[in-house]
Amino acid sequence: MTASTGQPAGVSAELKRVHLIGIGGAGMSGIARILLARGVPVSGSDAKDSRTVLALRAQGARIAVGHDAANLVQLDGPPTVVISTAIRADNPELAAARQRGLVVLHRSEALAALMAGRQVACVTGTHGKTSTTSMLTVALQHCGLDPSFAIGGDLAAAGSGAHHGAGEIFVAEADESDGSFLRFSPRVAVVTNVEADHLDHHGTAAAYAQVFRDFLARITAGGTLLSCADDPGAEELARHAEQTGLRVRRYGRNAPGAAGDAVLLDYRPAGTGGRLRVRLPGTGATPEEETHSVTVAVPGEHMALNALGALLAGLELGAPATGMLEGLAEFSGVRRRFEFKGRAGGVAVYDDYAHHPTEVAAQLRAVRTAAGEGRVVVVFQPHLYSRTKTFFREFGAALALADEVVVLDVFAAREDPEPGVSGAMVADAVTLPPERVHYVPKWSAVPEVVAGLARPGDLVLTMGAGDVTVLGPEILTELNRREPDRRAPATGSAPGEATGSATGTTTDEATGQDTGPDTRAAGPVVERPERAR
């Protein structure tokens, strides 16, 4: 607290008192945590209580359940109101705030204000943002740098996705979905990939790609773009950046090997993780001295590439290579990214956030190795009507990498239902024999269906950005009910498996709201009809 102004140190005047609408969401709760740690009075509201809301209350936040204009007067004085894109204009708190002339900030503006005065590293891209940001954060912490960070998921080890650190570095996951990352000014920017998505906001694939070009202009003078050379969209962006004079470093198998690059020499699956060899040109007198090996706890070459992006970012921020590699080896995962939920009846159950066809395919390829000789049973919940309508064929092709496919109905998130668009479109597009594809539009039927399909040795993966995550414990309960003679703990880690916690709430990718358990009634299973091929 500064003596002259009474303003908490390390925050701008507009953040003297803050009210967050939808405070329980992943992005909003992270901002609240950092504000509270910096001594800022915080209030908020959310649709319901959740473990996130309870944790924020324990840290001193005043939080109301439900949205009402009266929630704006929980603090001693008028607050600045922070909202996300998901908050509609007719929200009673937002409408009242504007009527009263209160300052209203988008959450990206509030986060940008919290970054001020720090060395900022932003991680963006269509896929892999959360994992890469998390890896970078954990590795920097291992190096003793104590960065502040804001991530769209909770670190498995820390149990939180945000922290106010004592160090000079601020690491942030930068959201391209609504273009709000254009408010950030990073010194180091990692772009994992660029592939059409969020067309409900951007309109066209070309407009989506353009917002990444616009982001390049936000990199500060003397800053660096770190780009994945194995992704065509990211490589196109890197070439454009070089034409503008921006310093570019690349990572991946196709990285050219210039000084400052990270070249992936080899990747091999290792249990539920993977082992990679990487060359860091310019860090040793010989190629042998420049070559390093590291094992990461998450499976798939896409995760190995994420680790390289995090490694390069750490090096750009001044961290030592040895410390970064050791830190990456200690990374234990992040909630909802191939998170182990438990084992029952000889069946391992995991949960994953993949909600784009490319993500689904990459994760299923990785899971295939982790499953060993067992089958892969995927339980997929499409996310957003617009995304389902645009990509249902691609989802079908990706899901065909599993042995058994269970498709739920669409999780609407911020959208209203669209006639003719449902999970049935995805199920019908899966290129597997019809008897291996199951459309289950009613929620309560899912655990029984999945438990009936799974066999000892199989791996079940719930997948999607909505509330499908809460099904893991229910599936484990049903598996245990069917296998009384082989009863096993429903939660906890198993040898070689990443740790995680079975939770009763989830955070939706678009709304940032904890969605909680579904209360829809049980209903029939709809098998996909036979059709000509």
Side-chain angles (χ1 to χ4, degrees):
M1 187 81 68
T2 60
S4 59
T5 66
Q7 177 70 16
V11 295
S12 61
E14 62 190 359
L15 298 180
K16 183 177 181 179
R17 285 179 298 271
V18 177
H19 178 84
L20 297 99
I21 306 176
I23 196 171
M28 300 289 272
S29 63
I31 291 171
R33 286 190 182 99
I34 296 172
L35 287 168
L36 289 165
R38 295 188 184 182
V40 177
V42 170
S43 67
S45 61
D46 210 276
K48 64 182 182 305
D49 271 328
S50 66
R51 66 174 190 171
T52 301
V53 168
L54 293 174
L56 290 173
R57 282 202 189 107
Q59 295 173 41
R62 301 178 184 179
I63 303 175
V65 173
H67 297 293
D68 190 287
N71 296 336
L72 295 173
V73 296
Q74 299 180 81
L75 301 176
D76 297 329
T80 291
V81 176
V82 177
I83 62 171
S84 70
T85 304
I87 303 302
R88 298 189 178 188
D90 60 356
N91 179 283
E93 294 172 35
L94 176 57
R98 287 179 169 154
Q99 184 179 21
R100 298 173 191 179
L102 299 179
V103 176
V104 177
L105 298 179
H106 187 272
R107 66 181 178 90
S108 60
E109 294 176 293
L111 184 56
L114 293 175
M115 294 176 179
R118 307 285 179 118
Q119 290 191 66
V120 178
C122 286
V123 179
T124 191
T126 310
H127 325 293
K129 294 184 290 293
T130 300
S131 294
T132 306
T133 312
S134 301
M135 290 176 176
L136 173 58
T137 297
V138 169
L140 290 173
Q141 288 175 327
H142 177 83
C143 295
L145 297 175
D146 191 19
S148 297
F149 60 87
I151 308 171
D154 290 341
L155 295 173
S160 172
H163 169 70
H164 168 58
E168 297 180 356
I169 297 171
F170 198 118
V171 178
E173 178 177 342
D175 184 13
E176 90 293 354
S177 66
D178 57 1
S180 60
F181 67 165
L182 297 179
R183 294 188 172 100
F184 305 149
S185 299
R187 186 172 77 81
V188 175
V190 180
V191 176
T192 56
N193 37 61
V194 179
E195 182 181 11
D197 197 8
H198 303 290
L199 302 187
D200 57 314
H201 176 84
H202 295 284
T204 66
Y208 179 77
Q210 180 60 45
V211 78
F212 283 93
R213 291 193 173 195
D214 295 341
F215 180 64
L216 297 179
R218 301 296 305 174
I219 299 174
T220 59
T224 305
L225 170 68
L226 307 177
S227 178
C228 181
D230 295 359
D231 178 74
E235 177 58 21
E236 182 179 350
L237 183 71
R239 292 174 182 172
H240 173 77
E242 288 175 326
Q243 292 173 1
T244 68
L246 186 64
R247 182 172 181 265
V248 177
R249 293 294 178 263
R250 293 174 170 84
Y251 61 93
R253 289 188 183 273
N254 296 323
D261 287 352
V263 184
L264 181 62
L265 301 176
D266 185 51
Y267 171 79
R268 297 179 186 275
T272 56
R275 186 166 181 79
L276 56 133
R277 284 197 311 121
V278 57
R279 181 172 168 245
L280 301 174
T283 61
T286 66
E288 290 74 20
E289 292 180 0
E290 297 173 342
T291 301
H292 309 269
S293 295
V294 62
T295 298
V296 293
V298 284
E301 187 163 321
H302 63 298
M303 285 295 187
L305 292 173
N306 292 340
L308 291 191
L311 173 61
L312 269 194
L315 298 180
E316 284 293 324
L317 292 167
T322 300
M324 287 296 296
L325 290 164
E326 292 173 350
L328 290 172
E330 290 183 355
F331 175 72
S332 58
V334 60
R335 281 195 64 238
R336 301 230 54 217
R337 274 66 178 180
F338 195 57
E339 179 187 5
F340 179 65
K341 307 302 289 186
R343 182 185 293 276
V347 178
V349 178
Y350 287 80
D351 180 51
D352 196 83
Y353 192 67
H355 54 277
H356 183 283
T358 299
E359 297 168 351
V360 171
Q363 195 58 53
L364 287 176
R365 291 189 189 99
V367 167
R368 173 67 62 192
T369 300
E373 296 181 359
R375 300 177 310 151
V376 175
V377 180
V378 65
V379 183
F380 179 68
Q381 182 187 48
H383 184 269
L384 297 178
Y385 291 98
S386 58
R387 184 182 283 133
T388 302
K389 183 178 180 180
T390 301
F391 294 120
F392 71 92
R393 295 183 183 86
E394 291 83 354
F395 277 125
L399 291 168
L401 293 170
D403 297 292
E404 295 278 352
V405 177
V406 177
V407 180
L408 283 59
D409 213 345
V410 179
F411 185 85
R414 61 183 179 269
E415 296 183 337
D416 295 322
E418 184 171 342
V421 179
S422 72
M425 298 173 66
V426 175
D428 192 56
V430 178
T431 54
L432 288 175
E435 64 272 14
R436 290 164 58 188
V437 182
H438 318 269
Y439 174 49
V440 188
K442 297 299 183 180
W443 184 264
S444 298
V446 176
E448 185 176 352
V449 170
V450 176
L453 292 171
R455 307 169 187 164
D458 286 353
L459 188 153
V460 171
L461 180 66
T462 58
M463 180 176 279
D467 55 1
V468 66
T469 184
V470 305
L471 283 174
E474 297 181 25
I475 292 169
L476 287 163
T477 297
E478 182 64 22
L479 286 166
N480 266 328
R481 188 186 69 79
R482 290 171 177 247
E483 297 289 340
D485 296 332
R486 291 186 290 175
R487 192 173 298 278
T491 59
S493 60
E497 292 169 326
T499 58
S501 61
T503 79
T505 60
T506 181
T507 299
D508 167 51
E509 173 254 358
T511 67
Q513 300 295 317
D514 286 326
T515 56
D518 194 289
T519 56
R520 289 165 282 189
V525 176
V526 181
E527 299 287 349
R528 192 188 65 177
E530 182 69 64
R531 72 177 190 275
R533 296 186 181 276

